[in-house]
Amino acid sequence: MNLGRRAALFVLNHASLLLFAAVACLFAVQSAAFLRWDNFVNILIQASSAAIVATGMTFVLLTGGIDLSVGSIMFLSAAIAGKILLGNGSVALAFAAIVGIGLICGALNALCVARLRILPFMATLAMLFVARGLSLWITKTRAMNLPDLVQIGAMRIGGIPFPVFVMAIVVLAAHITLRHTPFGRHIYAVGHDPEAARKAGIPTGRVLAWVYVISGACAAVGGLVLLSQLGAVSPTFGAQREFAAIAAAVLGGTSLFGGRGNVLPGTLLGAVLMQTVESGLNIINANPYVYPLITSSIIFLAVLLDCARHAQLQQMKRRKIRMESGAAA
Amino acid sequence: MSSIVSAHGPASFPPASSEGTPILQCEKINKSFFGIPVLRDVSFSVRRGSALGVVGENGAGKSTLMNILGGVVRPDSGTLHLDGQPYQPRNPADASRHGIAFIHQELNLFANLSIAENLFLDSFPRRTLGRLPTPFICRRTLRNHAQRLLADVDLRLPPDLLIEDLSPGERQLVEIAKALALNARVIIFDEPTTSLTAHEAERLFALIERLRAQGASILYISHILGDVRRLCDALLVLRDGEVVGFGPVADFPIPRMISLMVGRDVERLYPARPPVARGPAVLEARGLSQPGVIHNVHFTLHAGEILGVAGLMGSGRTELARILFGLDPCETGDLLLRGEPIRNCSPRERIRRGMAFLTENRREEGLLMDASVAENIALASLSAFARSPLRLLDFSAMNEATAREADRVRLRCASIRRQAAKTLSGGNQQKAVLAKWLLASPAVVVLDEPTRGIDIGAKHEVYGLIAELAAGGAAVLFISSEIEELIGMCDRILVMRQGEIRAALERREFDQERILRAALGEGDEP
């Protein structure tokens, strides 16, 4: 492999870090307020929910799949929790229901993808509509106000804001699972080549099933954090969060082609980067109509880089028939 | 001296010495695919600690035989014994549990994982808490185990390195280390040296010697007959799915190997082609080179001519075809179509200028399997049926034309407009592809393995169609791994090896052994 190609691959592999540095520098030059500590903490708090959902998404993307249903799962679990709280149920019960709903929806996705062999895109698209439809039915499309929850959202645990605390636990657990358990390494193997993974004796069906369950659970927990910050469930709760989650994961270097990426630092960095852009634009008083344009161009850039990297790797995979003289052994 | 024993083959083979016990015994293995037999009563055995070379032409049944041993396919009949026990692998994982490791030509490693992870993918060492196991991988043990295995194959690399950073030779050593991790008793090598440098190949041979000394048994498939003679102490020669030679390697000097591999009767399979004067040059390649793929390829293809390209698997035949059709890049050299340079044209532009390409991979690249046969036939000529000014398709003209071409290639199917391409037999699918290109009436046709996987009757018809194409003035480049069909069909034959054209033979010089020798690199043509 020649040096130029290695360098190109290095840049492509570390694109998220480079982008992050560039964005931070840009805003720091524009406004001194951007560099303040409380701004940074604020960014972390705001990014928590998205980072948690994106963490689950990373598991799915690593297998080469996709989970479009996470936004709706957030809504469904929050709606049911809201019903429980309004019916004078305890907060603990509501939280347990949230996680439970996430696991159930994830398990249904898993069933469709791993057992019924429905394409992940279609299976989770169906779940998107089913869960959102159910939630609208449950809430009668009316907003539910849950002011008690805001207290939890504002709580500090050991000096750490509640959303950041939950995010830290989820991200760390995900990182350890991916990096330090056989299951985690099997996810990478399945994402790289499912057929070869099957031949290597990896239970590919079980691996696939679990990533959707994990994604569902992460979506629900992300919804829980968001709920605790907003204190209300509106009919647009969690809408289009699937795209924020996919964007954060891809920005963090997770490949849509499967087999490449990580949660720490990748996905966390991606989620924080997205929030940084938004917060930076806020601080420099940018025109609000520009926000989506800028966010979408960053996502576009991330996907473009992912494709460029994939093309590079494919080229390296092409079989050589003859050894050119001077080629490194 | 010889370490192979008891030939269970046909009685004409004298049993070799009967010392020692066989680790692997195959008796009367039969296998057919879609009614076409690919293995017929194959019997042989491998002694513990010996190396058995397996040679034969492409399509002789070597791969199928190894796939049966490796649990990829199951035999129709016959028995296998491993170390005296009946052995019936249900799948590749089962085979590796029994201690049979298969080092494929295309390595089965995960490039996104480290060396150590690849070695222990299904048996990660776990961390323990006191005496309780935890679900976490113990990286230190993993690294230590990996290091030990890497030392066994003499690969001095940190086990945390990702596979994608390794050279092909290094990857192969990792694959062998994986076999060692499974305590493999029998290791099957399938063309292990095709992507190795000479130095890496030497290292591999030394390692194979060492593995044998430690008691492993080797099955070594290769087209490089010199290597086989050097490494192996016994030899199995296959031809058309049958054992035509089995015994100590000393009994098989290279010329005998080659004559056993090729010797077969040719039926009247090929159409008579009256000699015609060579037409004008249509396609000219001048010094085409692409680093790592092909080197300095020169040839001229004339109208009405069938030019054969012979070569073993991995010699660059298919790659040359893809470059000629513009599917793969080509850095230097000129390619002229009727005198006009086309090296930088897209495949679409080349089709427009009269080129056609029949791919070796009919199912994935040659046909739209779910579309109807008629749609497939019309595909390359759609714009000819688009009527101005709106460029709408003229379906009645198109249906008439597709029906005519289907008739011409004697395509057998109930309805070309209602039947999907995937419902056709292999031979009829290939005829549909031919019909597609006939309809486009190309000036140059590149055929890559046009008769692969089709039965003898369909082959006969395909040969007739190819001859018809040439008689109609098209220039045909005929790529095939079956030397015999090239001899039957072609006016001239080019022989490729390692991405270069090593020999060019005129019809009067055609000789199966001579071509195979040039393809193998045994005694180069000048």
Side-chain angles (χ1 to χ4, degrees), chain B residues 148-157 173 203 206-207 210:
Chain B
R148 210 167 313 140
L149 284 172
L150 289 182
D152 284 348
V153 296
D154 200 19
L155 185 63
R156 312 270 167 217
L157 288 174
L173 291 177
R203 228 168 124 182
L207 175 61
R210 223 167 47 243

Side-chain angles (χ1 to χ4, degrees), chain A residues 22-226:
Chain A
V23 167
C25 289
L26 202 69
F27 288 125
V29 170
Q30 299 274 327
S31 160
F34 180 81
L35 282 180
R36 299 223 327 254
W37 172 249
D38 55 346
N39 183 48
F40 178 70
V41 173
N42 220 9
I43 289 175
L44 265 189
I45 293 174
Q46 298 295 322
S48 295
S49 166
I52 293 166
V53 181
T55 297
M57 184 66 77
T58 306
F59 278 78
V60 176
L61 293 180
L62 279 174
T63 63
I66 198 161
D67 187 350
L68 297 176
S69 64
V70 290
S72 297
I73 294 175
M74 287 169 83
F75 188 17
L76 182 62
S77 53
I80 288 175
K83 278 282 168 204
I84 290 173
L85 287 172
L86 291 180
N88 288 325
S90 72
V91 173
L93 181 64
F95 280 11
I98 287 181
V99 177
I101 298 290
L103 288 172
I104 291 169
C105 292
L108 286 173
N109 279 334
L111 179 75
C112 291
V113 173
R115 183 59 59 83
L116 304 180
R117 306 212 172 269
I118 300 173
L119 279 182
F121 187 94
M122 291 322 292
T124 59
L125 185 67
M127 178 57 76
L128 182 157
F129 287 113
V130 169
R132 188 150 288 276
L134 268 178
S135 331
L136 289 173
W137 190 8
I138 291 169
T139 60
K140 306 277 192 299
T141 69
R142 279 194 292 270
M144 284 185 281
N145 282 317
L146 309 158
D148 298 352
L149 284 182
V150 182
Q151 286 171 12
I152 295 175
M155 206 166 64
R156 282 175 175 262
I157 299 170
I160 302 168
F162 173 74
V164 179
F165 184 80
V166 177
M167 173 182 77
I169 288 177
V170 170
V171 167
L172 267 179
H175 176 73
I176 290 170
T177 305
L178 283 178
R179 185 102 194 87
H180 295 286
T181 67
F183 168 65
R185 303 322 288 169
H186 288 170
I187 292 178
Y188 283 85
V190 171
H192 183 75
D193 187 343
E195 193 47 38
R198 201 181 57 79
K199 278 192 201 151
I202 294 172
T204 48
R206 219 180 308 160
V207 170
L208 270 184
W210 271 110
V211 297
Y212 287 92
V213 174
I214 289 170
S215 175
C218 283
V221 173
L224 183 152
V225 168
L226 189 63

Side-chain angles (χ1 to χ4, degrees), chain B residues 276-307:
Chain B
V276 281
R278 197 171 278 172
V282 186
L283 187 73
E284 280 177 83
R286 292 184 190 158
L288 290 179
S289 293
Q290 169 72 15
V293 184
I294 58 169
H295 182 69
N296 199 20
V297 170
H298 279 278
F299 66 82
T300 307
L301 181 57
H302 302 268
E305 179 186 39
I306 301 180
L307 175 59

Side-chain angles (χ1 to χ4, degrees), chain B residues 405-465:
Chain B
E405 293 305 329
D407 253 14
R408 184 165 155 203
V409 300
R410 287 176 288 279
L411 191 90
R412 268 178 288 277
C413 84
S415 157
I416 61 164
R417 274 155 67 190
R418 277 197 302 277
Q419 221 171 320
K422 67 178 171 196
T423 61
L424 298 179
S425 71
N428 279 309
Q429 283 178 356
Q430 197 64 306
K431 287 190 216 162
V433 181
L434 276 169
K436 171 170 83 178
W437 292 120
L438 284 172
L439 181 56
S441 45
V444 178
V445 188
V446 179
L447 304 168
D448 192 3
E449 300 281 1
T451 61
R452 171 175 290 181
I454 65 180
D455 64 67
I456 203 87
K459 264 187 188 176
H460 178 69
E461 286 176 317
V462 167
Y463 292 142
L465 288 167

Side-chain angles (χ1 to χ4, degrees), chain B residues 494-512:
Chain B
L494 309 174
V495 186
M496 289 190 80
R497 180 160 54 84
Q498 290 177 333
E500 286 180 61
I501 292 178
R502 298 299 176 109
L505 306 174
E506 294 290 333
R507 181 149 213 160
R508 62 182 187 302
E509 304 172 296
F510 285 179
D511 173 43
Q512 211 159 347

Side-chain angles (χ1 to χ4, degrees), chain B residues 54 111 130 152 169 195 210 252 266 291 302 313 322 324 393 396:
Chain B
V54 181
D152 284 348
S195 50
R210 223 167 47 243
F252 295 93
V266 185
H302 302 268
M313 212 173 295
R322 291 181 59 89
L324 292 177
L393 287 175
S396 59

